[in-house]
Amino acid sequence: MAFYLKNPRNIINNLKSKVGLWSLMKQSHSTCCYSSCLNTIHLHRFLPLTTLPQFTNPESISHKKGHFPHFQRFQSTTTEKQIDSVPNDEHNQVLDFPGGKVVFSPEMRFLSESPSVYSQCYRVLDDAGQLISHSNFVPVSEEVAVKMYSNMVTLQTLDTIFYEAQRQGRISFYVTSIGEEAINIASAAALTSDDIVFPQYREPGVLLWRGFTLQEFANQCFGNKADYGKGRQMPIHYGSNKLNYFTVSSTIATQIPHAVGAAYSLKMDKKDACAVTYFGDGGTSEGDFHAAMNFAAVTESPVIFICRNNGWAISTPTSDQFRSDGIAVRGQAYGVRSIRVDGNDALAMYSAVRSARQMAVNEHRPILIEAVTYRVGHHSTSDDSTKYRPADEIEWWRMARDPVTRFRKWIEINGWWGSEAESQLRSSIRSQIAERAEKPPVNDLFTDVYDNIPSNLREQEKLLKETINRHPKDYPADVPI
């Protein structure tokens, strides 16, 4: 469709002035201002975000809780001198581009593929459990510290019991958290019960902290009748609606964008809570991680990403996964505040997660935490990690860098723990687990999907029961038909 314009030149000139194009043709010499996105944190140094422009119209963006920034695409498009960085160079100018300020330079300079200085790793306790001088951390009461240690020991014992049960053929599969107890328990202690957790499969300690009993763990792993999944899931795929803990999914990284969506919902509902998702270093090689990071940054969703960088994605070392300086720097690339933490230091993990939660909820922003640790156990009971890494390396991490031992030394230094309490704790844990329990009936295989079970499923149920009756020795005798 064509239009006849009586005075096209006047119309075009007027349009240019409206959208700010004249300012591109007539170089403005106004001062370029920036607003810093990095709030000073007295506890640790989070990697800063990319510098954001200061909008010419203060009403065009709101930082109030629950409000979204409204960007007016052409309102502040101007060309300015970069006075701060190049005060005397007329060639260096800044374009207030719709996607952010762009600094022009006559010098051709490529961004380096690796940083000259590696990201610092925040820690509070040294390997001997001593406080590092001048360290900043969130204070922990005696009650919380003792509960943290007790839960770490319980998690260790739980892993030993179920790992042995799998080796004896009593359960089909298991995944341990050996070497990563501090990440589990300390992060859980720093959250609130209203925060929604999207786990991978190595975070049972979060459930343990929230009140999931040892018998509930056993019910899931052994497929007992009391299992909330009615025995349909493979072992270690825990879940609890009551405890705001989404059911574990085997597929890698799918929980990460789910957490961002839940966080966005919490923000829209003005809830005083955040979403938290856990994943390994291998998960960051999935597209879901990158999509979730960008989505969280753009929507300013209150979500905490906790990456367990334990050095291995099953048998693939991090050196074969990426060339970046770990995981934390990826957050900065997406505009997400990030920090690298010693994942074997429970006090550092607690402080980092506690501070991250405060920022996520109060400022409506995503936070990425890279917890540097080591997977002491095999990837799962289907894996033999000595085939791809030396046994002496595993043993060194087990003995010299054990997070449970390090935290015990600290609470003993404070006079909060002793050998008698240690003996009582360890002897009481095993008595809390009863493996033998009634199994769910065969009927439960066909329920909870359809309101009215269709005829094809009824036919399958009938055939299964007939097969069990004909070959009873091939099926568990303790499963009711």
Side-chain angles (χ1 to χ4, degrees):
M1 180 180 292
F3 290 94
Y4 171 74
L5 300 177
K6 184 176 182 180
N7 297 308
R9 185 181 298 274
N10 291 338
I11 292 175
I12 292 173
N13 288 341
N14 183 54
L15 180 60
K16 287 180 178 179
S17 64
K18 290 291 186 183
V19 300
L21 294 179
W22 275 126
S23 59
L24 291 176
M25 301 167 64
K26 298 164 58 180
Q27 292 186 358
S28 171
H29 296 287
S30 58
T31 303
C32 175
C33 299
Y34 290 92
S35 60
S36 172
C37 289
L38 179 62
N39 294 328
T40 302
I41 305 300
H42 73 283
L43 293 172
H44 359 281
R45 179 178 297 174
F46 283 77
L47 292 177
L49 306 178
T50 306
T51 308
L52 292 179
Q54 181 168 335
F55 292 84
T56 56
N57 179 8
E59 295 180 356
S60 66
I61 183 169
S62 171
H63 295 286
K64 293 180 180 179
K65 188 171 183 178
H67 287 237
F68 303 97
H70 174 68
F71 297 96
Q72 296 191 13
R73 190 175 169 88
F74 297 109
Q75 179 176 345
S76 58
T77 306
T78 58
T79 304
E80 306 172 272
K81 289 183 181 178
Q82 173 64 331
I83 296 178
D84 292 337
S85 60
V86 190
N88 299 318
D89 193 340
E90 293 293 331
H91 297 287
N92 287 79
Q93 296 171 337
V94 176
L95 171 64
D96 193 1
F97 187 69
K101 288 188 182 293
V102 177
V103 181
F104 293 106
S105 171
E107 180 182 359
M108 183 171 65
R109 180 184 301 173
F110 288 84
L111 295 176
S112 174
E113 71 281 2
S114 60
S116 57
V117 179
Y118 288 100
S119 302
Q120 294 181 349
C121 187
Y122 169 67
R123 72 188 311 202
V124 177
L125 300 176
D126 61 20
D127 292 339
Q130 298 279 351
L131 278 176
I132 299 173
S133 59
H134 307 297
S135 59
N136 294 316
F137 63 94
V138 177
V140 179
S141 67
E142 176 181 353
E143 180 183 3
V144 172
V146 169
K147 182 181 177 181
M148 285 173 61
Y149 177 72
S150 298
N151 275 224
M152 291 166 73
V153 172
T154 302
L155 182 58
Q156 267 191 344
T157 308
L158 193 72
D159 278 345
T160 301
I161 293 172
F162 288 138
Y163 184 84
E164 292 174 352
Q166 194 282 332
R167 288 299 188 237
Q168 295 166 6
R170 286 149 51 193
I171 59 177
S172 61
F173 179 81
Y174 193 71
V175 170
T176 67
S177 303
I178 302 172
E180 302 179 30
E181 296 89 352
I183 297 175
N184 270 247
I185 302 302
S187 64
L191 301 172
T192 71
S193 58
D194 292 329
D195 298 328
I196 304 175
V197 176
F198 291 80
Q200 191 177 15
Y201 41 65
R202 219 177 292 276
E203 293 82 28
V206 180
L207 264 180
L208 182 65
W209 178 270
R210 293 191 169 196
F212 209 68
T213 66
L214 300 189
Q215 186 57 49
E216 286 176 305
F217 283 110
N219 288 337
Q220 199 285 322
C221 288
F222 287 96
N224 294 332
K225 185 177 181 180
D227 171 34
Y228 301 123
K230 298 184 178 181
R232 297 163 178 155
Q233 268 279 22
M234 62 189 296
I236 65 90
H237 286 59
Y238 313 109
S240 173
N241 290 335
K242 180 179 67 174
L243 301 177
N244 283 330
Y245 190 96
F246 270 67
T247 302
V248 172
S249 173
S250 292
T251 47
I252 300 299
T254 55
Q255 75 279 8
I256 307 178
H258 297 165
V260 179
Y264 187 67
S265 176
L266 291 172
K267 175 182 177 178
M268 296 296 291
D269 292 339
K270 296 180 172 58
K271 299 291 187 180
D272 187 24
C274 66
V276 184
T277 182
Y278 297 82
F279 48 93
D281 47 272
T284 66
S285 298
E286 296 285 344
D288 287 337
F289 166 77
H290 298 276
M293 290 288 288
N294 188 61
F295 183 34
V298 172
T299 59
E300 298 176 335
S301 298
V303 56
I304 303 175
F305 302 97
I306 301 180
C307 174
R308 296 175 288 94
N309 186 353
N310 61 23
W312 297 90
I314 308 183
S315 60
T316 305
T318 54
S319 59
D320 287 349
Q321 295 182 60
F322 48 78
R323 289 291 185 269
S324 61
D325 176 22
I327 309 300
V329 293
R330 300 186 184 189
Q332 191 175 27
Y334 284 108
V336 175
R337 188 171 293 172
S338 311
I339 187 172
R340 175 181 285 175
V341 184
D342 182 353
N344 288 27
D345 181 351
L347 207 52
M349 277 300 302
Y350 176 85
S351 299
V353 176
R354 191 78 169 181
S355 300
R357 186 194 180 278
Q358 183 178 1
M359 288 184 286
V361 174
N362 295 341
E363 302 175 25
H364 281 155
R365 66 166 70 250
I367 304 291
L368 170 62
I369 297 176
E370 176 189 2
V372 181
T373 183
Y374 188 84
R375 195 194 74 215
V376 172
H378 304 300
H379 172 74
S380 71
T381 49
S382 302
D383 172 51
D384 180 4
S385 61
T386 60
K387 299 296 184 181
Y388 52 83
R389 56 181 185 172
D392 57 349
E393 174 185 293
I394 301 173
E395 190 62 21
W396 183 83
W397 278 90
R398 184 193 303 273
M399 301 303 296
R401 300 298 310 281
D402 178 39
V404 182
T405 302
R406 189 196 301 193
F407 195 65
R408 176 186 175 178
K409 291 177 180 178
W410 182 70
I411 59 175
E412 286 179 338
I413 291 172
N414 288 314
W416 299 343
W417 197 254
S419 57
E420 183 177 348
E422 183 78 15
S423 299
Q424 292 177 353
L425 172 65
R426 292 186 179 274
S427 61
S428 67
I429 294 173
R430 287 181 175 268
S431 62
Q432 300 178 41
I433 301 178
E435 165 192 339
R436 302 293 299 177
E438 185 180 355
K439 301 297 181 183
V442 170
N443 295 7
D444 282 355
L445 286 172
F446 304 92
T447 58
D448 296 334
V449 176
Y450 297 96
D451 182 25
N452 295 311
I453 300 178
S455 58
N456 64 313
L457 286 184
R458 291 192 181 279
E459 181 67 20
Q460 290 180 29
E461 181 181 355
K462 178 183 176 182
L463 290 174
L464 176 61
K465 290 181 178 180
E466 291 176 353
T467 302
I468 294 174
N469 289 327
R470 286 199 304 268
H471 308 282
K473 294 182 179 180
D474 295 334
Y475 293 86
D478 55 350
V479 176
I481 299 179

